[in-house]
Amino acid sequence: MNSKRVNRLFLSIILINLAFQVGILVLALGFDIWADIGIVPNLAISQLMLLVPAFAALMLSRRKMPVKIRISDQLGFHKIKISSFFMVILYTILIMPLSSAINAISMLFVENTVDAISDTIMLMPFPVMLFMIAMFGPFCEELVFRGIVFGGYRNSVSVFKAVICSALLFGLMHMNFNQAAYAVAIGIMFALVVEATGSLWSSVIAHMLFNAPTVFMVYLRPEVSAEAVLTTDDLLMIIGPYLIAAVISTSIAMCVLVWLAKNENREEHFRSIWTCRKEKKEKLITVSLIIAIVLCLAFMSLEWFL
């Protein structure tokens, strides 16, 4: 994969997603068919809309490879040390305040998307939603965005720009301003842990651990899970402490990344992310990427106004 193919892949994912949304709207309005398929099928379809075009693009790119390697190796599914596994858990805990701070700031302007569907989530058995939100979803998203998208960009441009751009696409993929805001930041942190460990498993583990508490909170504290009831004054009061906690914990998380890189014998490589930013021969910005970003922002803006 290279940047051009990755940008085309992202555009295809967005077009498929928009076509699905339009199809549901047409069924509901034009044919008077209620198209509420339920949250579990909806989550499954949303992940399939990522996986199918991503694997199609991956298979097409493999046809042009002079030397074939295993798909698992191409995606970065390499083993990590047991000590690294536990440090990834610590790393995930440390980046959670960053997400909470950005989420709180975004809620000054837009609705909390997860809280908006919390009642729907609770209608389903806890093990089902835990699997869909904290296991299946994270695995699919990491495979696509850190395995294929980030890996493709990394083959074409500097690692630094690959980290930033893959995180931007990861945020836009959520198609709403609330989740996009913190997904970009978390996407950066997930890409960095992949670079530190040299394994996609590290971001898969981190993403699963990151999503799991959300599911637990919805079921264990349903009466207070809807943060949408918070007033602007309430949010302003908690944003300050959240930001302080985020700065401290994220700083420690960066130290953990350095430790992980040393532990996996990738210290020099990880350091080169910040010291070597020379561009490779291919361009990052293409027409496909611009169209995809415009479509995402247009949809998100329309949803916000409505």
Side-chain angles (χ1 to χ4, degrees):
M1 293 286 284
N2 56 30
S3 59
K4 290 182 179 179
R5 292 193 181 96
V6 169
N7 292 344
R8 290 171 189 159
L9 166 62
F10 185 66
L11 176 58
S12 68
I13 289 173
I14 298 305
L15 290 175
I16 292 172
N17 191 294
L18 291 176
F20 178 71
Q21 299 290 342
V22 171
I24 290 179
L25 184 62
V26 169
L27 289 175
L29 299 179
F31 297 91
D32 196 26
I33 299 176
W34 181 245
D36 185 3
I37 60 177
I39 188 169
V40 173
N42 205 323
L43 290 172
I45 291 172
S46 67
Q47 298 305 325
L48 288 175
M49 289 191 295
L50 290 177
L51 288 177
V52 172
F55 261 103
L58 182 65
M59 291 299 102
L60 287 175
S61 69
R62 285 178 60 84
R63 293 175 59 183
K64 298 182 179 181
M65 292 176 59
V67 179
K68 295 294 188 297
I69 61 174
R70 293 188 304 176
I71 293 179
S72 59
D73 291 333
Q74 185 178 353
L75 292 173
F77 283 111
H78 307 303
K79 293 180 180 179
I80 60 175
K81 298 177 181 178
I82 295 297
S83 54
S84 293
F85 170 79
F86 288 107
M87 290 301 282
V88 168
I89 295 175
L90 173 61
Y91 175 78
T92 307
I93 296 172
L94 289 169
I95 66 176
M96 286 180 179
L98 174 64
S99 171
S100 297
I102 297 174
N103 183 41
I105 293 172
S106 73
M107 287 172 60
L108 291 171
F109 311 99
V110 295
E111 182 182 23
N112 187 307
T113 304
V114 175
D115 287 338
I117 63 171
S118 60
D119 290 340
T120 305
I121 292 175
M122 289 184 62
L123 294 176
M124 301 302 299
F126 170 75
V128 173
M129 297 312 299
L130 183 65
F131 172 77
M132 294 300 300
I133 296 176
M135 297 178 70
F136 180 66
F139 180 82
C140 295
E141 291 174 9
E142 290 309 305
L143 190 152
V144 174
F145 284 94
R146 252 61 65 182
I148 297 177
V149 173
F150 175 56
Y153 280 142
R154 190 172 47 187
N155 292 333
S156 303
V157 299
S158 66
V159 175
F160 181 82
K161 287 195 174 183
V163 168
I164 301 300
C165 196
S166 63
L168 174 63
L169 300 195
F170 178 60
L172 290 173
M173 177 272 301
H174 289 81
M175 304 294 280
N176 66 81
F177 285 114
N178 172 247
Q179 288 180 296
Y182 59 81
V184 171
I186 298 305
I188 291 174
M189 303 307 286
F190 286 164
L192 288 176
V193 79
V194 170
E195 284 299 298
T197 62
S199 175
L200 187 64
W201 284 119
S202 59
S203 66
V204 170
I205 294 167
H207 201 156
M208 289 180 175
L209 292 173
F210 185 86
N211 280 18
T214 300
V215 185
F216 280 96
M217 289 294 290
V218 169
Y219 283 89
L220 295 178
R221 299 199 301 166
E223 70 281 359
V224 297
S225 63
E227 294 182 45
V229 299
L230 293 175
T231 65
T232 300
D233 290 338
D234 293 332
L235 289 170
L236 290 173
M237 288 182 63
I238 65 175
I239 285 174
Y242 275 17
L243 286 174
I244 294 173
V247 170
I248 296 173
S249 64
T250 304
S251 299
I252 300 173
M254 296 304 294
C255 296
V256 173
L257 283 177
V258 174
W259 186 94
L260 282 168
K262 289 181 178 179
N263 196 49
E264 294 292 336
N265 300 315
R266 291 175 59 85
E267 184 178 5
E268 290 300 322
H269 172 80
F270 188 70
R271 187 180 300 168
S272 69
I273 297 175
W274 323 103
T275 59
C276 181
R277 301 184 187 179
K278 292 182 180 180
E279 284 296 324
K280 297 180 183 179
K281 59 182 180 180
E282 295 190 30
K283 293 182 178 180
L284 178 62
I285 307 299
T286 65
V287 174
S288 298
L289 180 63
I290 294 172
I291 294 174
I293 292 175
V294 170
L295 287 174
C296 286
L297 293 176
F299 179 86
M300 291 159 65
S301 300
L302 180 62
E303 185 182 51
W304 182 26
F305 285 118
L306 294 179

